[in-house]
Structure formats: C-alpha cells, structure tokens
Amino acid sequence: MSEYLPLECSRAATDYQREWAKGLRRDITSGKSYAFVNADTPHELFHHMGMPIVTNQWWSAIIAAKQLSEFYFDYMESRGFHERLARYSSLPLIAELEGDTSRQPWGGLPTPSILCARQSADDHQKIFSLWAERTGAPLALLSSPAVPDPQPDWWRLARDDWETLYGSDRLDLMVAEFEVLIAQLEEITGRTFDRSSFASYMEAINEQERIFEEASALIAQAPRCPIRISEQMPNVMIPQWHRGSDWAISHAKRFRDELTERVQKGVAVVPDERIRMMWIGAGLWFDTGFYSAFEESHGAVFAWSMYLPFAADGYIREDKGDPLRTLAARVSAMNEQLHQPPWINAWMVEQARRYRIDVALMLIPEHDRFSGHGSLYAKQALEEAGVRVIEVWSDMVDPRQWDRDAMVAKVTPVLDDVLAEKN
Amino acid sequence: MPKIDASSASDAARAELETAFAQRDRYLTGERTRVGIFGNGMPTALVEAAGACAVHVELAEVTTGGGSPIDVVIEPFLDASVSTFLNRFSRGEFADLQGIIFARDDAPALIAYQYAIEWVRQGRANSAVPPLFLWNLVHTDTEPTRHFNRVQADKLFGFFEAIGLRRPGPAQISAAIADEKMRAASLVKLSEAREQGVPAAQALRLRNAGRFMPAPKHGELLNAALSLIEKTPAAGRPRIGVIGSPLLSLKTYDMFDRLGVVTCDLQPWGDVWPGNFGDAKDLDELLVSTAADRSCHRIVPSEAYRQAILEATANAGCDVVICQLAQTDDTIGWEVPALAEAFSSRGTAFVNLGFRDPEPDEAWLADAAAAISAALGARQ
C-alpha cells in the first residue's frame, strides 16, 4: 500500500492557526480584548467588530489533542463535579479552574473581555456562568427556543426559505438579542458596528461555504476518496473559525483546488478502496489516527465527517435584505440540526447517499447528552437506507472510555461482512 | 407520627387527594376535557382558562424495558420520565387527552416532545395519539422576550382552538389566575404543615395530586384535608432542605421524615410547582412571573437559580441541605461545588447523596440515611 501524503494546505492551515494564536496572545498581552465563545454563537458579530474570538470547542479539541484531558477530568472530579457531566464543552472551563496556565497549550488563555454562549443545551449556560464567575468576564447568553415543527429536509429550506423553516418569532428574538450583543461589543471595543458593510461580509462567508460545498461534492463523487477526514477537519474548521476573512476564502479555494487536482490524478487514500465509511459526531480529538485504522486491512476509508458538508448546509443563508436576520437564520438552530430528530436522521441519510457510504461509525457521548440526542433515530434511518451502523459509546475529548483495540475488534467483522457481500 | 384529623370531611378530602396521586394521569375528575402537560414552566391557569383540566403526564411510575417499538430510538441517557412517557405514548395511552403541551425549558419535556413528534411524523404512532404542542416560553425578562412570550401564548391559544377548546379571554384568564392564587395559598399551608407534623412524603403526595385535577378543586381539597390538622410543632428536630433532580420516591421522603423535618423542598416535583404567580392579574403579568421562575435551570441571569436555592434554604432555616441526583443529571451537577462551598461558609451542612434510581433500593436508602445522620451529628 502506497504511503498516504497529506495535502500541502493542511500544514498551511495548522501553521496559520498556530501563528494566529501566538499573535492573539501577543495582542492580548498588549491590551487587546478577545472573546471566548461557543461554536454555535454568532462569530460573525465579533469578527466584524474586529474582536478576536477563541472557540470553546476548538480549544477543547486542542487540549485533548495535547493528551491533557485525562488530567483535567480527574481534576474536575476532585473539585466535586460528578463524572457524568459534559466534557467536550467543559474541558476549557476545567483547565481554567485548575489554573496552571503553564500546563495548558500555548501557555493558556488570558481572561476574556466577554463570554458568549447560546442556550441550545441546558448545560452551556451553567458552564459559561462558572467561567464568568471565575474570571469576572461578562456573559452574553442567547436564548434558544426550539423549532416546534422541524421540517426533515432542513438543508433544502435553510438557504432560501429560512424564515419559514426557523420561524419569524424565533428570528425576531435572536435579532433583538444580537442588537444587545452588538451594543456590548461596541462598548468593549470602542468601535461602531459597521452595518453598511456587514452584508458584504455575510456574502463573503456564503462564498467561502460554496467553495466548501464544491470540495464536499468532489469527495462525494470521486471514484475513490482523495483525503482522510483527519485532514478534512482542520482544512474546514480552521477557516470556519475565521470565516469570511480573505485568508479563510483563500484557504478554502486552495483546499478545493488541491482536492480537484488529486481527483483528476486519481490520487486516493486507499488505492484499492472497497468500503466507504462515515464518522458521525464530533472528531475523536485524542486519537484521530483511528480514522486510518481500516485502510490497509479492509480497503476501508472514512470519507465523511460532518464538518465539510455542514459548511454548506449549516452556513449558506441567502440574504433577504437584512443581514442580521440572515445571521440569525444561520445561528438559531445551528447545533440542533446536528442532534435533533428529524433533522439529524434525514441529513445523515442524505449525506450517506451522496457519499456512497457502506458503514457508519456513530459517536454517542452518553455524558454529553445534547450531542447524543437523536443518535438512535439516525441509526435507524441509516439502517433503513442500507447503511450498517456501529455505535461508538465514547467521548470526543475524554480518552478514559476509549479502547481502540476493542473498537477495531468491533468494527472488523462488520467490514468483513461488507467485503464478503461485495465479493 | 401525628396525623391529619380524622373528621370525615378532612378524611374524605385527603383520600381523594391520595387517590389522585396514586392514579396520576389516569385519575378522572369527570368534569372537563383534559389536556396533558409535560414539565414545569407551563402555567396551568391558561389551560383552565381555555375550559380544560391540565393533567401532568410525566409523573407516571417509571417503567423500563417496556418492549415497545419506540424503545429502539430511546438512548439510555434519556430521563426515566421521558422513556416511560414515550413508551406509554407509543402504546396510545394518552388517546383520551385532547392534546399534550410540553414545556421547552424543562429539559426532559423538550426531548419527550421531539422524540414523540418524530415518532408521529414517521407514521409509527398509534393513530389515537393526541395533538402535541411545544410551549416555547423563554425564561428571561427583556422587552424582546416579553414580546416573544406573548407570541407563544397566542400560539397556545391557537392550539386550544384547533383542539376544540375556547380561546381564553382576559376575564377567563384573570379568573384562572385567581384560582391558582387560591391554590397557592393552600399549598403554602401544606408546606407549613410539614413543620406541624405532616410527613414530607404525605405533603409530596398531596401537592402533586394537584397535577391531575383543576386548581380550585385541589385548593379546596387541601383546605379540607388540612383544616383539622394536629399541631405538633417540630421544634428541636433537624430542619432539612431538599434539592436536586425530580424525585417522587416516597421511601426516600420517609427516610427524610425519620431524620428530621423537611422545611424546604426545592426539587422540581417539590414546592416549586406550580410556580409563583406573584401579583399577576392578567396574561402579561402571568407570563412575566412564569418567565421569572428561578427554579428553572434556564433562567437568565444564570446565577439566579443558585441564589434562589441559597435564599430559600436560609429562609427555611435548614440545618442540612440534601442533594440527590438522577442517573442522567447533566445540569445540577454544575452547581454542586459552588453550593457546597456556599453552605459550608454559612455553617449549613450539605450532603450530596449522588446518583440514585427513580425508586432507590434499600442499600442506597441506608447509605443515604447514614450520610445525613453523620452530617447532622457533626454539627452537634
């Protein structure tokens, strides 16, 4: 089997983020403010105000990738937090509470000027409130009333008919809460939110996500998968944390173009690809090497993870003349679309078909219930669509429940069966 | 143990309340159309104003492994009240309800709603399932949320009309609020009665019996049941506060009763229901007071939840505060260290009993009793 060569742009993405983080530290040390925010909040408002953000889930993944999560979760329990609380969203808080910044990646984070979370999961406001208590930073909480009548094919409606999909009352409320947040940001930064240029900034984000959509289609339609999902993730998510910026758009193009070249040349993760798999859920951040575990043994490649296709379906929202409302449409159910039936089950089936998936591994974090909800509905829908589904009861950032050998042993017979059927 | 007076009227009222509690959502008043409610945070006065009786559906005795087809989509981390409800729902057990309303800001209720409507959407539900409605009230007090909450009330009234009830007018709403206030006064007496000898387990039953009958009837029955209560002040007995996950285990309350007097019961199925109506007189004020309910985990500002616990347990003069958690807890656990610290700093014993089943076994109860006794002993 030939050696897998990573894309050149992958290193560029991680280098950029590392340099950005260093620059951020430098800026903060010299008095610049930054925000610590959850992934499903309106990053666009912070970016447009020129206020850097650190995303909770990204920072969590970084801590886990540094193999620090086990230490912090042990510490978490020693502080009196029980072991069944969510981990992905709380790992940065626990690192903050532990207090030794020298232990943290890149010397840890200074105190943010503002915290922002959306009440999509019940524990998010608890976690961010504890952070606010600890640091004294103000907390901006965005309401999250539910969509009472969720349409299964949300990704079709979300681009143009988002007013119908998400509900005018919910969008009205979210826009009103954006206005409050904007006023807070104006006060912190001393700058005025430039409403006249916000529409073009939002359009730049749409442009970026359309490029990712092309990249997703390339992988879905390629005879053989051209890159590992462990490379998809940084190439998508790092630009997403900087979405709409010149660098992010440029990087998205570079990523798409390298993919195009690979597909045209017939470069594949597994030259003799025989099985296509999807990884459902957040990344297995402490063991991303697992994603290549079945390439040699079964010609099985993980072709799909949510980050790339969600860039298009979760983000592209056509402007109807009010860019703040358009942003509300992007944000108001961002996380829910990945966890709530019928949204998650319908989207999984759609994606599995597009990517020609044979087997799905479904991460079910039982102690991060919001992320686990809807899993079995999605499993059932995928199985009805002909996809074999393997449940992975583990956590995105906590390795204590992860046994790679046991998981390989669980997946192997399923892949054997698929190969036997194909033969 | 002192008992409620044996007069026939009082006994009959108490018996009726005990029957309602025992039968829960199967208790039939025979008076009006019944509308199901799942979760705290939905003002039942609005259901009453529409001419129906609100009946809570989430307090049924927990059943697991019911063997219903819906079990295949129920993850093990769903709350027991949700999985029990979904099993019953899928079997058509709520066919006699005119509709069911789910409170979005009650965590189990939202999941119950989402899983139930998906089951219906997929065409897998019993054809007799009632219409479902999500009560999307936001627990924040700003002008935009007030407007949003008024819109939700309007949607609720549209739902009432769609299921054949009347659209409540101002007079009906005001009357229903007045009924709720009368009930609330009776419930205050019930809470106080714990200090006069009514066991906490019994108080729990008599309070929650009201989740299955009209508010005025509940208030009247409570007044009758409590009218001739023996006064046995609990002076000298340890004063207990209860916090944590929804708890309906009578054995657990019996254990609390053996160890002291529950003077403050803040778990979701304790004294916090049916909510505080304050000075509300009309719909707008009712919505504001409901949105300001500090027993809701989702209230903004977030610190209000913990502050409410600290204030209530202080006002109740608790010697010990007991925290107990459902196996599925993912919210209260975030408060525990700060609560422990706050209680410690003011000299109140705090006992976190940790996880327990909906109906804890004898070993858990014995361990819990020992832990509480030890904490109380350490104070002396």
Side-chain angles (χ1 to χ4, degrees), chain B residues 287-324:
Chain B
L287 294 175
V288 169
S289 63
T290 304
D293 180 356
R294 296 193 295 169
S295 73
C296 175
H297 279 289
R298 295 173 62 85
I299 187 146
V300 176
S302 297
E303 56 270 26
Y305 174 85
R306 191 191 311 153
Q307 195 56 38
I309 290 175
L310 295 173
E311 286 174 15
T313 51
N315 292 339
C318 293
D319 299 303
V320 61
V321 175
I322 300 166
C323 178
Q324 44 71 44

Side-chain angles (χ1 to χ4, degrees), chain A residues 175-192:
Chain A
V175 170
E177 293 184 343
F178 284 174
E179 294 287 3
V180 174
L181 177 57
I182 288 169
Q184 280 182 285
L185 297 180
E186 287 181 328
E187 190 175 338
I188 292 169
T189 61
R191 289 190 287 274
T192 302

Side-chain angles (χ1 to χ4, degrees), chain B residues 45-74:
Chain B
L46 297 180
V47 178
E48 302 262 349
C53 174
V55 177
H56 278 260
V57 295
E58 77 274 32
L59 280 78
E61 286 190 35
V62 170
T63 54
T64 54
S68 300
I70 202 169
D71 281 338
V72 299
V73 296
I74 296 176

Side-chain angles (χ1 to χ4, degrees), chain A residues 322-358:
Chain A
D322 181 350
L324 273 186
R325 198 169 187 83
T326 310
L327 177 59
R330 177 180 295 152
V331 173
S332 75
M334 179 177 272
N335 216 350
E336 291 89 325
Q337 284 155 172
L338 295 170
H339 305 298
Q340 175 185 324
W343 286 339
I344 183 59
N345 30 319
W347 194 56
M348 288 299 99
V349 169
E350 155 80 3
Q351 290 296 312
R353 285 184 176 138
R354 288 185 59 160
Y355 274 69
R356 313 187 316 274
I357 297 296
D358 303 295

Side-chain angles (χ1 to χ4, degrees), chain A residues 145-396:
Chain A
V147 173
D149 48 354
Q151 301 299 304
D153 56 344
W154 61 271
W155 64 93
R156 292 195 183 93
L157 299 167
R159 298 196 187 196
D160 274 312
D161 196 13
W162 42 257
E163 189 80 29
T164 304
L165 177 63
Y166 300 122
S168 297
D169 53 345
R170 296 177 70 257
L171 296 174
D172 287 344
L173 178 59
M174 179 143 273
V175 170
E177 293 184 343
F178 284 174
E179 294 287 3
V180 174
L181 177 57
I182 288 169
Q184 280 182 285
L185 297 180
E186 287 181 328
E187 190 175 338
I188 292 169
T189 61
R191 289 190 287 274
T192 302
F193 185 76
D194 182 354
R195 292 171 189 269
S196 62
S197 63
F198 191 61
S200 57
Y201 169 56
M202 288 289 288
E203 181 47 38
I205 296 173
N206 276 350
E207 179 191 349
Q208 175 181 324
E209 313 305 355
R210 287 190 196 101
I211 296 166
F212 281 135
E213 184 171 38
E214 292 169 21
S216 178
L218 277 168
I219 298 172
Q221 293 161 16
R224 293 169 300 164
C225 182
I227 64 162
R228 289 175 173 159
I229 58 170
S230 54
E231 276 203 279
Q232 288 184 31
M233 291 171 180
N235 276 300
V236 176
M237 289 318 295
I238 293 174
Q240 290 294 62
W241 304 139
H242 304 276
R243 54 185 175 263
S245 70
D246 290 344
W247 177 83
I249 295 171
S250 168
H251 188 85
K253 286 177 181 170
R254 184 175 173 184
F255 174 60
R256 176 202 58 196
D257 293 347
E258 279 197 55
L259 278 178
T260 304
E261 191 179 340
R262 280 201 172 198
V263 173
Q264 285 171 347
K265 289 181 177 174
V267 175
V269 176
V270 181
D272 183 23
E273 178 183 304
R274 306 178 74 190
I275 296 173
R276 281 194 155 208
M277 297 195 288
M278 65 197 301
W279 176 264
I280 298 175
L284 195 66
W285 300 119
F286 53 84
D287 189 10
T288 51
F290 174 73
Y291 296 134
S292 56
F294 307 100
E295 292 171 1
E296 196 162 334
S297 61
H298 293 82
V301 60
F302 280 100
W304 188 96
S305 96
M306 66 180 177
Y307 298 103
L308 180 56
F310 193 70
D313 290 342
Y315 285 76
I316 297 173
R317 301 290 178 269
E318 300 303 339
D319 189 5
K320 306 288 182 185
D322 181 350
L324 273 186
R325 198 169 187 83
T326 310
L327 177 59
R330 177 180 295 152
V331 173
S332 75
M334 179 177 272
N335 216 350
E336 291 89 325
Q337 284 155 172
L338 295 170
H339 305 298
Q340 175 185 324
W343 286 339
I344 183 59
N345 30 319
W347 194 56
M348 288 299 99
V349 169
E350 155 80 3
Q351 290 296 312
R353 285 184 176 138
R354 288 185 59 160
Y355 274 69
R356 313 187 316 274
I357 297 296
D358 303 295
V359 176
L361 267 66
M362 177 178 282
L363 179 67
I364 309 178
E366 61 183 318
H367 301 319
D368 194 338
R369 292 200 296 174
F370 182 79
S371 298
H373 284 141
S375 293
L376 297 184
Y377 262 122
K379 180 188 179 196
Q380 187 178 60
L382 283 165
E383 288 176 340
E384 286 171 1
V387 178
R388 287 174 166 81
V389 181
I390 299 167
E391 298 171 20
V392 181
W393 290 85
S394 187
D395 190 90
M396 318 74 151

Side-chain angles (χ1 to χ4, degrees), chain B residues 124-377:
Chain B
R124 299 180 181 198
N126 183 304
S127 59
V129 296
L132 310 180
F133 181 83
L134 186 68
W135 171 245
N136 237 340
L137 182 116
V138 171
H139 283 82
T140 313
D141 189 18
T142 63
E143 191 45 50
T145 53
R146 286 188 183 201
H147 173 74
F148 180 84
N149 289 341
R150 281 195 294 270
V151 171
Q152 304 320 301
D154 197 54
K155 288 185 172 184
L156 176 69
F157 297 165
F159 175 74
F160 286 151
E161 289 180 309
I163 62 174
L165 301 176
R166 71 180 174 223
R167 185 180 190 85
Q172 289 140 349
I173 292 171
S174 294
I177 293 171
D179 286 343
E180 281 289 1
K181 286 182 177 177
M182 287 174 61
R183 170 175 40 196
S186 305
L187 287 168
V188 168
K189 286 187 215 163
L190 177 65
S191 296
E192 292 169 351
R194 286 186 304 232
E195 297 191 48
Q196 297 161 353
V198 171
Q202 187 175 40
L204 185 79
R205 296 194 300 271
L206 300 189
R207 172 180 291 272
N208 281 301
R211 291 183 187 255
F212 316 112
M213 63 178 64
K217 180 175 179 177
H218 188 213
E220 288 164 14
L221 289 172
L222 282 174
N223 288 341
L226 295 169
S227 61
L228 297 173
I229 186 174
E230 275 184 32
K231 300 289 191 293
T232 309
R237 301 195 71 209
R239 300 170 71 83
I240 295 173
V242 180
I243 65 170
S245 305
L247 176 67
L248 215 56
S249 162
L250 299 178
K251 284 184 179 177
T252 304
Y253 273 85
D254 285 341
M255 181 262 289
F256 296 157
D257 281 325
R258 286 194 295 276
L259 296 170
V261 180
V262 174
T263 57
C264 184
D265 187 355
L266 301 178
Q267 57 99 355
W269 291 340
D271 296 352
V272 299
W273 181 85
N276 176 18
F277 302 99
D279 297 324
K281 293 179 287 297
D282 58 21
L283 176 61
D284 283 349
E285 291 172 352
L286 176 64
L287 294 175
V288 169
S289 63
T290 304
D293 180 356
R294 296 193 295 169
S295 73
C296 175
H297 279 289
R298 295 173 62 85
I299 187 146
V300 176
S302 297
E303 56 270 26
Y305 174 85
R306 191 191 311 153
Q307 195 56 38
I309 290 175
L310 295 173
E311 286 174 15
T313 51
N315 292 339
C318 293
D319 299 303
V320 61
V321 175
I322 300 166
C323 178
Q324 44 71 44
L325 301 172
Q327 303 282 358
T328 49
D329 172 64
D330 60 1
T331 47
I332 300 157
W334 289 112
E335 301 283 359
V336 167
L339 283 170
E341 193 176 320
F343 285 127
S344 173
S345 69
R346 76 179 191 204
T348 303
F350 178 67
V351 181
N352 180 13
L353 299 176
F355 299 112
R356 45 91 191 146
D357 291 329
E359 194 55 70
D361 61 22
E362 293 301 326
W364 187 92
L365 289 167
D367 289 347
I372 298 166
S373 296
L376 288 169

